[in-house]
Amino acid sequence: MSILLLLFAPGIFAIYWLIRLQICLSRMRYLVDTYSMDRKKLRKLSCKEIKALRDSIDTLRHANDAFGLETLVRPYRA
């Protein structure tokens, strides 16, 4: 039984890593498509930073703060 676990562990880890990568790329694609952000500028950010940026954008959007949203998004625009 432990031999099977040793054989399947790298595959399970690879699937987990690919899912996390796809989630991060999906967040980045959403920001690029919705707010016309530059992919090159977003590539410099880590996944945690992209998640925090999107959460901040969602918070400002729900608060209807257009000026705050614009100042947050402006440095990442193309």
Side-chain angles (χ1 to χ4, degrees), residues 1 5 7 9 11 13-15 19 21 23-24 26 30 32-33 39-41 45 49-50 54 56 58 60 66 69 73:
M1 186 66 179
L5 182 65
L7 290 175
F13 179 73
I15 290 171
I19 290 171
L21 178 67
I23 290 170
C24 185
S26 174
Y30 171 79
V32 168
D33 291 342
R39 282 189 192 269
K40 291 179 183 177
K41 292 179 182 178
L45 302 176
E49 291 171 337
I50 289 175
R54 184 168 175 189
S56 299
D58 286 341
L60 290 172
L69 183 62
V73 170

Side-chain angles (χ1 to χ4, degrees), residues 31-70:
L31 293 174
V32 168
D33 291 342
T34 307
Y35 298 104
S36 302
M37 294 185 177
D38 189 18
R39 282 189 192 269
K40 291 179 183 177
K41 292 179 182 178
L42 289 176
R43 279 190 199 139
K44 296 175 185 176
L45 302 176
S46 69
C47 278
K48 288 182 183 181
E49 291 171 337
I50 289 175
K51 182 180 180 193
L53 177 64
R54 184 168 175 189
D55 290 341
S56 299
I57 288 172
D58 286 341
T59 304
L60 290 172
R61 192 169 48 105
H62 289 300
N64 292 326
D65 186 9
F67 293 113
L69 183 62
E70 181 63 29

